[in-house]
Amino acid sequence: MKYLDEYRDGRVAAKILSEIGRVTTRPWTLMEVCGGQTHSIVKHGVDRMLPSQIELVHGPGCPVCVTPLEQIDKAHAIARRPAVLFTSFGDMLRVPGSHTDLLRLKSEGADVRIVYAPLDAVRLAQEYPDREVVFFAIGFETTAPANALAVTRAKELGVRNFSMLVSQVLVPPAIPPSCSPPVIGYRASSVRGTSVR
Amino acid sequence: MCLAIPGKVVEVFQDRGLRMARVDFGGTVKKACLEQLPAAGLGDYVLVHVGFALSVVDPAEAERTYRFLEELGQLDEIRMPEGPA
């Protein structure tokens, strides 16, 4: 599978731009929901190529940014417990809750560790059987299978000291029905089995 | 955690019933789970997200994507050390 050339074909881009210009009959304000999109749009000048009636607003970004404050506060309360070894994707460490963030809690002595994969948290639970290893399971639908497999894996291995604080969110319900079919990025499509072409 | 990163499968092994791989991301080798991508094997380039291989990808495109992510400074998290298998 290729996945760069399809998006870097100048002829296709020109055709899409011309079509966007044709159907833009009134002002539109569009919000991106991913920092990667914002970066690409600005880097490649997409914002300057679009008709002037289209305004782009840089949206909340990754799932880290749309995790509810209540969940973040819960994570902090759990991470503070002495018996807990709290694990999280690195992106979450600086995200502020009502009072603090995970990085600060770590500097104050809480055992907070960065993992790249949920399975790493299961492995930590095996290494530290006397601790409760909690994984902060945040993410869009793309991370749900990985998180679910970590739970299945912990059960298979008989790991009893592993748990998750779950804050999974779905993208399609946040997209208005008028945008059907939903615009879903490449990675999401890989996980969901949706074709992007 | 937002981005999936392409890398080359340099070793395939079983870890207590899970089909796993060591994947080389431009010199950093990390473990990834192949359970969701049974077709992937030694030498394949795979797209890895939060420790799971999602798709087999074209080697040349994988290389270009990797360089692109490097330019964006998006590869820090895969460079973090990980524990033993």
Side-chain angles (χ1 to χ4, degrees):
Chain A
M1 180 186 278
K2 288 189 158 195
Y3 61 101
L4 273 188
D5 284 347
E6 294 93 326
Y7 297 103
R8 293 193 171 178
D9 185 329
R11 286 166 305 171
V12 174
K15 201 171 155 191
I16 292 171
L17 266 178
S18 146
E19 187 63 13
I20 291 171
R22 192 181 69 78
V23 301
T24 306
T25 54
R26 65 178 182 81
W28 286 90
T29 302
L30 305 177
M31 180 184 280
E32 312 104 53
V33 292
C34 167
Q37 292 170 349
T38 303
H39 192 103
S40 296
I41 286 168
V42 175
K43 182 181 168 89
H44 298 290
V46 173
D47 50 339
R48 283 172 286 142
M49 286 189 283
L50 291 170
S52 58
Q53 282 180 298
I54 296 180
E55 183 194 358
L56 293 178
V57 174
H58 306 317
C62 67
V64 169
C65 317
V66 296
T67 299
L69 184 64
E70 182 195 352
Q71 289 294 98
I72 296 170
D73 286 343
K74 273 185 192 168
H76 295 168
I78 293 167
R80 270 199 195 96
R81 296 184 188 175
V84 166
L85 194 166
F86 196 84
T87 57
S88 167
F89 293 125
D91 318 53
M92 204 55 178
L93 260 65
R94 287 189 171 83
V95 179
S98 301
H99 307 291
T100 184
D101 59 55
L102 286 169
L103 202 61
R104 193 180 302 171
L105 285 175
K106 186 176 168 66
S107 72
E108 289 166 2
D111 196 349
V112 176
R113 305 202 193 180
I114 297 172
V115 290
Y116 171 64
L119 281 177
D120 294 342
V122 177
R123 193 166 51 238
L124 279 169
Q126 288 180 289
E127 284 172 27
Y128 296 90
D130 55 333
R131 310 280 299 281
E132 179 67 17
V133 174
V134 182
F135 176 65
F136 198 1
I138 63 153
F140 294 129
E141 46 274 80
T142 51
T143 49
N147 292 344
L149 203 139
V151 174
T152 310
R153 185 68 176 156
K155 191 178 178 188
E156 281 169 3
L157 295 172
V159 175
R160 311 275 303 184
N161 59 323
F162 175 70
S163 50
M164 280 185 177
L165 174 61
V166 178
S167 187
Q168 297 280 162
V169 288
L170 294 168
V171 174
I175 297 173
S178 57
C179 293
S180 184
V183 179
I184 299 170
Y186 172 78
R187 171 166 51 82
S189 304
S190 290
V191 173
R192 293 171 64 92
T194 320
S195 171
V196 286
R197 302 201 75 193
Chain B
M1 62 162 288
C2 276
L3 295 173
I5 299 169
K8 185 181 184 181
V9 176
V10 292
E11 186 189 342
V12 177
F13 62 99
Q14 291 285 327
D15 179 11
R16 284 163 292 186
L18 274 194
R19 189 160 177 263
M20 301 289 291
R22 283 186 207 284
V23 180
D24 185 343
F25 301 96
T28 305
V29 178
K30 288 191 93 81
K31 288 191 286 289
C33 181
L34 294 181
E35 285 293 314
Q36 291 166 328
L37 194 63
L42 197 63
D44 282 338
Y45 280 81
V46 292
L47 198 61
V48 178
H49 180 238
V50 291
F52 288 85
L54 300 180
S55 311
V56 175
V57 296
D58 181 87
E61 297 245 343
E63 188 60 37
R64 283 168 57 202
T65 306
Y66 188 84
R67 284 201 304 270
F68 186 56
L69 290 172
E70 197 158 41
E71 272 175 38
L72 296 180
Q74 290 289 341
L75 296 176
D76 292 349
E77 68 180 15
I78 62 161
R79 291 187 174 135
M80 286 183 313
E82 67 180 357

XYZ file of all heavy atoms in Angstrom, chain A residues 12 14 17 28 52 60-61 76 96 119 146 170 175 195 197:
114
model
N -4.277 16.092 -9.252
C -5.459 15.800 -8.429
C -5.773 17.006 -7.544
O -6.923 17.429 -7.409
C -5.227 14.528 -7.565
C -6.384 14.302 -6.605
C -5.034 13.314 -8.459
N -5.044 20.162 -8.067
C -5.595 21.265 -8.859
C -7.071 21.023 -9.171
O -7.886 21.952 -9.120
C -4.791 21.411 -10.161
N -9.043 21.619 -6.000
C -9.123 23.061 -5.718
C -10.148 23.734 -6.619
O -10.946 24.572 -6.176
C -7.762 23.710 -5.948
C -6.858 23.854 -4.738
C -5.537 24.468 -5.165
C -7.519 24.706 -3.650
N -17.644 29.880 4.421
C -17.591 28.682 5.263
C -16.485 28.864 6.296
O -15.432 29.406 5.999
C -17.224 27.443 4.432
C -18.320 26.938 3.550
C -18.577 27.302 2.264
C -19.311 25.972 3.888
N -19.659 26.612 1.777
C -20.129 25.794 2.756
C -19.582 25.230 5.047
C -21.211 24.911 2.742
C -20.653 24.345 5.032
C -21.459 24.199 3.890
N -11.216 32.655 -0.858
C -11.193 33.557 0.294
C -12.428 33.394 1.180
O -12.419 33.803 2.344
C -11.082 35.001 -0.182
O -12.167 35.288 -1.038
N -9.131 21.665 18.211
C -8.574 21.182 19.477
C -7.383 20.254 19.321
O -6.586 20.119 20.234
C -9.740 20.423 20.110
C -10.617 20.026 18.972
C -10.475 21.126 17.962
N -7.239 19.590 18.196
C -6.082 18.720 18.022
C -6.341 17.289 18.434
O -7.429 16.770 18.248
N -5.180 12.278 37.940
C -4.263 12.859 38.914
C -4.511 12.286 40.313
O -3.565 11.982 41.055
C -4.395 14.386 38.927
C -3.968 15.002 37.616
N -4.213 16.308 37.285
C -3.335 14.462 36.543
C -3.727 16.554 36.070
N -3.201 15.439 35.609
N -2.879 20.146 31.694
C -3.300 20.546 33.031
C -4.701 20.048 33.399
O -5.600 20.023 32.562
C -3.291 22.075 32.953
C -3.476 22.389 31.497
C -2.912 21.235 30.721
N 0.491 -2.276 25.715
C 1.090 -3.553 26.147
C 2.286 -3.327 27.068
O 2.603 -4.180 27.894
C 1.528 -4.382 24.928
C 0.425 -5.143 24.178
C 1.003 -5.854 22.961
C -0.289 -6.144 25.077
N -5.954 -1.329 20.423
C -4.705 -1.559 21.157
C -4.982 -1.618 22.666
O -4.447 -2.468 23.376
C -3.700 -0.459 20.839
N -15.137 8.957 20.087
C -15.377 8.635 18.681
C -15.356 9.903 17.835
O -15.850 10.947 18.274
C -16.742 7.964 18.517
C -16.895 6.585 19.151
C -18.363 6.174 19.158
C -16.066 5.554 18.397
N -18.947 14.691 13.648
C -18.995 15.259 12.296
C -20.452 15.348 11.861
O -21.177 14.359 11.921
C -18.189 14.372 11.318
C -16.709 14.347 11.741
C -18.321 14.881 9.885
C -15.870 13.374 10.958
N -12.251 2.571 3.351
C -11.389 2.962 2.245
C -11.249 4.480 2.226
O -12.188 5.194 2.503
C -11.976 2.491 0.925
O -11.243 3.057 -0.133
N -10.028 6.007 -0.552
C -10.003 6.482 -1.931
C -11.360 6.339 -2.582
O -12.115 5.462 -2.259
C -8.973 5.697 -2.735
C -7.593 5.846 -2.098
C -6.525 5.552 -3.071
N -6.403 6.682 -4.003
C -5.706 6.630 -5.134
N -5.108 5.533 -5.482
N -5.626 7.673 -5.915
